[in-house]
């Protein structure tokens, strides 16, 4: 009886372990199937999950900055699009540093961002976009940021120019326009790099330039930045509600600074040229003085020889050193007719040279 009982218990245990192993295998299979389906379909991203919502006029051009972490400088970057905002079905429009059709992507690794330029935008370009950095590996998820772009005949938020220029120490002004539907929305001027924002109607403080924002209540607000610094260069955006418009600020050295550099350059030239001229005068003067000194030494030596000869009785004070005087005798002789067909009047001049030597006394 007891042996039968233990046999039944053993069979139930073995059956339970087999059932558990089967369940575990089914669970692993289910996990694999779920993971496989996730790879195929992936999470569906809706427009509400977009980190930025942009709007642009039909036929217009839009430049979009995409920032990334410094550790991804050497990774591939690309720009991806899907009309219904499904990331796993999006089409790669262009990789970094290439142009395809109406899209150009340029990487700026020294500033850890890349820019996307889209030209001649049409209504069918409305949809979801992604700034993507490839991480590598099948199971590794790429770094991405979703944006949603709306192409409209009359954009709800816009600016006159997407690029503004200023000088160090100077001021710049940006006017941002919004539609009537956004009149009561919060208006801001923000920097992409650190997401620091300045809001209309609030006290704004900054450790760099002074930023003032004023809403005229007539569908536009103005951003005034004073006391610009070189570090203020970068990408900003006007926003009304959840709509953004990118604006690039370029701050260059002030005219005064550039003028000072040019003045210093000219000053160096003004000092260098006289110095070179003075050096040349000194060198020429030295050469002339040297020649004059050698000549004086020669004359002095001749006079010394003359004086020595006079004292020794070799001549008067007018006696010259040997080889100082050379005499030339000239003989003119007419040519004969036989020697030359030239006229008798032609003459030939002969010359002989004799050196004078003083007589011994």
């Amino acid at each position: 009886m007891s042996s039968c009982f233990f046999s039944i218990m053993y069979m139930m245990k073995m059956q339970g372990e087999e059932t558990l192993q089967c369940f575990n295998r089914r669970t692993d299979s289910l996990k694999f199937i779920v993971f496989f389906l996730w790879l195929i379909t992936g999470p569906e991203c809706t427009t509400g999950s977009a980190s930025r919502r942009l709007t642009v006029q039909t036929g217009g051009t839009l430049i979009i900055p995409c920032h990334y972490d410094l550790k991804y400088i050497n990774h591939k970057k690309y720009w991806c699009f899907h009309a219904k905002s499904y990331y796993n079905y999006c089409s790669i429009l262009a990789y970094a540093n290439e142009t395809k059709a109406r899209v150009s992507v340029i990487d700026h690794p020294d500033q850890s961002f890349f820019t996307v330029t889209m030209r001649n935008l049409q209504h069918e370009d409305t949809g979801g976009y992604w700034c993507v950095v490839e991480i590598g590996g099948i199971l590794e998820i790429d770094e991405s940021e979703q944006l949603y772009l709306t192409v409209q005949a009359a954009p709800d938020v816009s600016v006159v120019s997407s690029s503004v220029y200023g000088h160090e120490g100077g001021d710049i002004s940006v006017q941002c326009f919004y539609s009537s539907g956004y009149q009561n929305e919060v208006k801001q001027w923000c920097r992409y790099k650190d997401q620091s924002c300045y809001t209309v109607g609030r006290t704004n403080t900054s450790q760099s330039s002074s930023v003032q924002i004023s809403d005229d209540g007539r569908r536009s607000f103005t951003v005034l930045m004073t006391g610009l610094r070189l570090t203020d260069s970068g990408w900003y955006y006007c926003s009304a509600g959840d709509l953004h418009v990118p604006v690039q600020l370029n701050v260059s050295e002030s005219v005064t600074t550039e003028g000072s550099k040019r003045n210093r350059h000219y000053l160096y030239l003004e000092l260098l040229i006289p110095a070179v001229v003075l050096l040349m005068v000194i060198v020429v003067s030295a050469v002339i003085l040297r020649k004059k000194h050698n000549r004086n030494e020669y004359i002095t030596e001749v006079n010394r020889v003359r004086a020595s000869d006079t004292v020794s009785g070799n001549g008067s004070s007018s006696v010259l050193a040997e080889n100082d005087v050379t005499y030339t005798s000239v003989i003119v002789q007419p040519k004969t007719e036989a020697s030359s067909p030239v006229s008798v009047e032609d003459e030939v001049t002969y010359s002989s040279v004799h050196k004078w030597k003083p007589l011994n006394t």
Side-chain angles (χ1 to χ4, degrees), residues 22 90 101 150 152 158 252 260 294 307 337 343:
C22 182
C90 73
T150 303
Q152 301 173 301
S158 62
S252 59
S260 299
N294 293 339
E337 294 181 2
S343 174

Side-chain angles (χ1 to χ4, degrees), residues 63-70 72-75 77 96-97 104-117 235 248 250:
I63 303 176
I64 303 167
C66 298
H67 289 269
Y68 55 82
D69 195 285
L70 286 172
Y72 298 132
I73 285 179
N74 296 321
H75 287 240
K77 296 94 182 177
N97 300 322
S104 299
V105 180
I106 302 176
D107 191 14
H108 305 273
D110 56 327
Q111 302 177 59
S112 67
F113 74 87
F114 63 93
T115 55
V116 179
T117 302
W235 282 92
Q248 185 179 22
N250 301 278

Side-chain angles (χ1 to χ4, degrees), residues 45-53 83-85 127-128 146-148:
C45 301
T46 62
T47 59
S49 64
S51 62
R52 286 183 276 172
R53 296 189 62 207
K84 295 184 178 180
S85 299
Q146 186 192 3
L147 304 87
Y148 191 84

Side-chain angles (χ1 to χ4, degrees), residues 54-56 62 64 118 121 125-129 147-151:
L54 310 175
T55 180
V56 66
L62 182 64
I64 303 167
M118 302 180 68
L121 288 162
D125 294 317
T126 296
Y129 292 84
L147 304 87
Y148 191 84
L149 174 63
T150 303
V151 182

Side-chain angles (χ1 to χ4, degrees), residues 38-47 49 76-92 95 127-138 140-147:
W38 181 87
L39 288 177
I40 296 176
T41 60
E44 294 184 357
C45 301
T46 62
T47 59
S49 64
K76 285 186 176 180
K77 296 94 182 177
Y78 62 85
W79 180 244
C80 196
F81 166 73
H82 192 274
K84 295 184 178 180
S85 299
Y86 295 160
Y87 174 63
N88 287 339
Y89 294 102
C90 73
S91 301
I92 298 176
Y95 278 93
Y129 292 84
W130 287 265
C131 303
V132 185
V133 177
E134 285 188 353
I135 303 303
I138 298 177
E140 293 184 272
I141 301 175
D142 292 338
E143 289 288 329
S144 63
E145 178 192 5
Q146 186 192 3
L147 304 87

Side-chain angles (χ1 to χ4, degrees), residues 221-239:
F221 65 95
T222 303
V223 178
L224 177 63
M225 296 181 67
T226 60
L228 292 173
R229 303 195 305 181
L230 295 177
T231 53
D232 291 326
S233 295
W235 282 92
Y236 297 77
Y237 60 85
C238 290
S239 69

Side-chain angles (χ1 to χ4, degrees), residues 59-321:
T61 297
L62 182 64
I63 303 176
I64 303 167
C66 298
H67 289 269
Y68 55 82
D69 195 285
L70 286 172
K71 62 185 179 183
Y72 298 132
I73 285 179
N74 296 321
H75 287 240
K76 285 186 176 180
K77 296 94 182 177
Y78 62 85
W79 180 244
C80 196
F81 166 73
H82 192 274
K84 295 184 178 180
S85 299
Y86 295 160
Y87 174 63
N88 287 339
Y89 294 102
C90 73
S91 301
I92 298 176
L93 300 182
Y95 278 93
N97 300 322
E98 71 176 11
T99 299
K100 287 188 176 180
R102 297 175 291 124
V103 179
S104 299
V105 180
I106 302 176
D107 191 14
H108 305 273
D110 56 327
Q111 302 177 59
S112 67
F113 74 87
F114 63 93
T115 55
V116 179
T117 302
M118 302 180 68
R119 295 171 291 272
N120 191 25
L121 288 162
Q122 303 299 320
H123 179 71
E124 55 268 23
D125 294 317
T126 296
Y129 292 84
W130 287 265
C131 303
V132 185
V133 177
E134 285 188 353
I135 303 303
I138 298 177
L139 302 180
E140 293 184 272
I141 301 175
D142 292 338
E143 289 288 329
S144 63
E145 178 192 5
Q146 186 192 3
L147 304 87
Y148 191 84
L149 174 63
T150 303
V151 182
Q152 301 173 301
D156 288 319
V157 179
S158 62
V159 292
V160 175
S161 176
S162 60
S163 297
V164 292
Y165 299 86
H167 291 288
E168 186 179 11
D171 308 335
I172 61 100
S173 178
V174 179
Q175 191 172 16
C176 307
F177 300 93
Y178 56 86
S179 64
S180 58
Y182 286 82
Q183 185 167 357
N184 297 323
E185 298 288 343
V186 176
K187 286 86 176 178
Q188 290 184 318
W189 172 255
C190 302
R191 186 167 188 169
Y192 277 118
K193 185 176 182 179
D194 54 13
Q195 290 299 309
S196 57
C197 294
Y198 305 91
T199 307
V200 172
R202 298 180 185 176
T203 302
N204 300 300
T205 59
S206 173
Q207 295 179 354
S208 57
S209 303
S210 175
V211 180
Q212 301 176 12
I213 305 179
S214 58
D215 188 357
D216 61 8
R218 296 188 298 273
R219 300 185 183 180
S220 72
F221 65 95
T222 303
V223 178
L224 177 63
M225 296 181 67
T226 60
L228 292 173
R229 303 195 305 181
L230 295 177
T231 53
D232 291 326
S233 295
W235 282 92
Y236 297 77
Y237 60 85
C238 290
S239 69
D242 59 351
L243 288 182
H244 298 175
V245 178
V247 178
Q248 185 179 22
L249 172 59
N250 301 278
V251 181
S252 59
E253 290 186 346
S254 63
V255 177
T256 303
T257 303
E258 294 175 355
S260 299
K261 288 184 177 180
R262 287 196 296 268
N263 291 337
R264 284 198 297 269
H265 178 69
Y266 293 140
L267 179 60
Y268 294 151
L269 290 178
E270 290 176 357
L271 294 176
L272 181 61
I273 292 175
V276 173
V277 173
L278 179 60
L279 180 61
M280 293 177 63
V281 170
I282 293 174
V283 172
V284 172
S285 300
V287 172
I288 294 174
L289 290 175
R290 180 63 179 171
K291 289 183 178 180
K292 186 175 181 181
H293 176 70
N294 293 339
R295 182 180 178 186
N296 290 338
E297 283 185 347
Y298 173 75
I299 294 174
T300 301
E301 181 65 20
V302 171
N303 291 335
R304 185 186 65 77
V305 172
R306 289 175 179 175
S308 176
D309 291 342
T310 302
V311 172
S312 62
N314 291 330
S316 62
S317 59
S318 61
V319 177
L320 298 176

